[in-house]
Amino acid sequence: MKGTPLIFERSVPGKEGFRLYAPDVPGVNLSETIGGGLLRQNLDLPEVSEVDVVRHYTKLSKMNFGVDDGFYPLGSCTMKYNPKINEEITAYPAFTELHPYAPEELAQGTLRFMYEMQRFLCEITGMDYFTLQPAAGAHGELTGILIIKKFLEAAGQKRSRIIVPDSSHGTNPATAKESGFEIVKVKSGMNGLVDLEELKKNVDENVAALMLTNPNTLGLFEKDIPEISHILHEKGALLYYDGANLNAIMGIARPGDMGFDVVHVNLHKTFSTPHGGGGPGAGPVGVKAFLRDFLPKPIVEKEGDTYFLDYNMPRSIGRVKAFYGNIGVVLKAYAYIRSLGARGLREVSEMAVLNANYLKKKIQDLFEVPVDTICKHEFVVSAGNWKKKNGVRALDIAKRLLDYGFHPPTIYFPLIVEEALMMEPTETEGKEALDAFADSLMRICDEAQENPDLMQNTPHHMPVKRVDEVKAAREMKLKAGQL
Amino acid sequence: MSKIPKNLLYTEEHEWILVEGNRGTIGITDHAQDALGDVVYVDLPKVGDKIVKGETFGTVESVKAASDIYAPVSGTVVEVNEALKDSPELINRSPYDEAWMIVVELDDESELDELLSPEDYENILEGE
């Protein structure tokens, strides 16, 4: 990063940002208590003052870009604005100062919002029980598939395969593999949806589950979902819902009603908790009643007016996270749901879909459209036309968008679309923002037309110019000392 | 238009095989490397490993994506192109020559009949 040294490069030998006073307790000899083998003599830490540290990171933070800065149409990620009331509620000392080992009678408020959140998520997704433990979407997937695995084992069934569509999120096959299953990929049909004949050919008594997101990664609603569900269930296989795209259907359609047996939802996407740069996220998992016993324990239950943690789940897959999950994140999502209400959540999805279709209509003539139909909350266009015409790629266009002050869309995903640009405007953008983005894309396409060379090393006006991703991947240097 | 040498057989998943006697040399096509973009990592089997027709025997990773490589035939690996480990860019530069991936001893030569001729493969690419 030219012009911005690393904190290590600011290091001046002997410079200190602290002063230790003489101890008023007896000293401890570390080489005796810890043992010489574990003690390091030289820690490669930067020697800087407090003000050096503050200025360094403040400078870096000013180069950052988030949803509070501008439009962020990163497809599949639902980068909606995160209302500040979520933060306000979560900052109450009643929540922040509660110790996770506090006895249940002193934690009734927290247990209550957890219990209500489990119920809300059941209501929104059409499931019967929820765990709030998983810390992210992929973690939710792993939890969900392990639940399915344990259920099948308990039923004495040996099923070794999991089906994923070729348009699926990369985390789906990764989850299946990590859980010990073989992966079977099913090709999409010409209409961008799961090909039922292909699916039928691949479903037999050896299939444990199909992992699917609906709407799918092309932003299209899998309208054959009842038939898909029937094909799976007829052979005793289960249906797993990747909740990545829940923002398209809240209050309108429910995975539980479509036949899904296990779902995960991404609170950090659909329910407006911060993500990008590490979140942390939260990926609660919901199941139909017959799978309740296999959920990670404990879940929150209620008896009379009292909330309690139910550990009496002998068939549980066990804990998947320390304590009860990223509870602060769950609380932010709870605040979001309570402030919008059922009707508000439905309006969220309606507006997300409307925004996506509005933007698609405005820009689709600039690109190739793999499947030209009304989309849900996101859509995919291909820059294949530009690549063929004058060598301008999706990557060049994405980088040029940075110069115009926008976060680029997702690129090169889904893999089934060449030079893909995947855009998800979300419901929180006004018409002005969508128009400004569309206008900029039009200008960029004009530039690509008139001056393709200009596009080769975009961005031009960012503190960091085009990064060499190939070099970064081939010559991986992960520690400051390697640079 | 990507190159499709006439002396090779192909798969729909964009692998090629050069058959000499009961041995086959396997790699990925020019079209595959172009679609992947700059390759940054290759994972290949070891000498002595068995590969099974239609199943994956390795992975190529570019800055865009990681893709499985499917075995065009079944057989035993007798040679592996170690140069690709340090120079995965050979796959972009020379997909049919320097970037051969493995040599296998064929289990069943009749499997070759199910592979695509250069003409068939070209038709598939045009259809895409």
Side-chain angles (χ1 to χ4, degrees), chain A residues 189-193 218-220 356-357 359-376 378-382 417:
Chain A
M190 292 302 282
N191 57 0
L193 304 177
L218 288 170
L220 306 175
N357 279 286
L359 185 60
K360 176 167 179 271
K361 200 83 194 164
K362 285 209 87 159
I363 63 152
Q364 63 182 4
D365 292 342
L366 302 170
F367 302 100
E368 286 170 356
V369 182
V371 185
D372 191 11
T373 167
I374 293 213
C375 65
K376 286 286 173 288
E378 66 187 355
F379 63 94
V380 179
V381 295
S382 165
V417 176

Side-chain angles (χ1 to χ4, degrees), chain A residues 146-267:
Chain A
L146 289 177
I147 288 170
I148 290 175
K149 192 178 182 182
K150 187 127 193 212
F151 162 75
L152 291 171
E153 277 169 14
Q157 296 188 32
K158 287 195 171 58
R159 293 172 178 255
S160 60
R161 298 179 152 179
I162 284 194
I163 300 181
V164 297
D166 58 2
S167 65
S168 75
H169 294 121
T171 47
N172 291 173
T175 296
K177 181 101 186 174
E178 199 63 26
S179 312
F181 289 97
E182 262 173 68
I183 299 147
V184 183
K185 249 186 210 169
V186 179
K187 283 191 179 147
S188 309
M190 292 302 282
N191 57 0
L193 304 177
V194 171
D195 185 325
L196 293 182
E197 292 312 311
E198 273 290 309
L199 181 66
K200 269 185 211 157
K201 264 189 262 167
N202 284 289
V203 178
D204 56 25
E205 269 74 21
N206 209 2
V207 169
L210 166 70
M211 297 181 82
L212 192 65
T213 175
N214 195 13
N216 65 22
T217 28
L218 288 170
L220 306 175
F221 191 78
E222 297 279 358
K223 60 183 172 44
D224 298 320
I225 187 64
E227 176 68 8
I228 293 172
S229 163
H230 178 70
I231 293 169
L232 269 292
H233 288 145
E234 199 182 21
K235 301 281 183 188
L238 301 187
L239 199 48
Y240 182 89
Y241 183 80
D242 179 327
N245 298 336
L246 187 64
N247 210 46
I249 59 169
M250 270 190 303
I252 299 159
R254 308 194 305 172
D257 301 335
M258 298 176 201
F260 286 93
D261 303 291
V262 184
V263 312
H264 86 262
V265 298
N266 300 287
L267 299 186

Side-chain angles (χ1 to χ4, degrees), chain B residues 23-42:
Chain B
R23 287 188 168 207
T25 305
I26 298 169
I28 64 168
T29 66
D30 188 32
H31 171 83
Q33 70 77 19
D34 185 53
L36 277 166
D38 292 313
V39 176
V40 294
Y41 177 76
V42 192

Side-chain angles (χ1 to χ4, degrees), chain A residues 404-417:
Chain A
Y404 281 84
F406 296 104
H407 194 288
T410 297
I411 53 173
Y412 300 111
F413 184 81
L415 303 175
I416 52 174
V417 176

Side-chain angles (χ1 to χ4, degrees), chain A residues 7 10-12 15-17 47-59:
Chain A
I7 188 79
R10 293 186 186 275
S11 182
V12 176
K15 206 170 186 184
E16 285 178 358
E47 295 179 77
V48 284
S49 66
E50 180 175 324
V51 67
D52 291 339
V53 174
V54 169
R55 286 187 183 151
H56 179 73
Y57 288 105
T58 302
K59 185 172 179 196

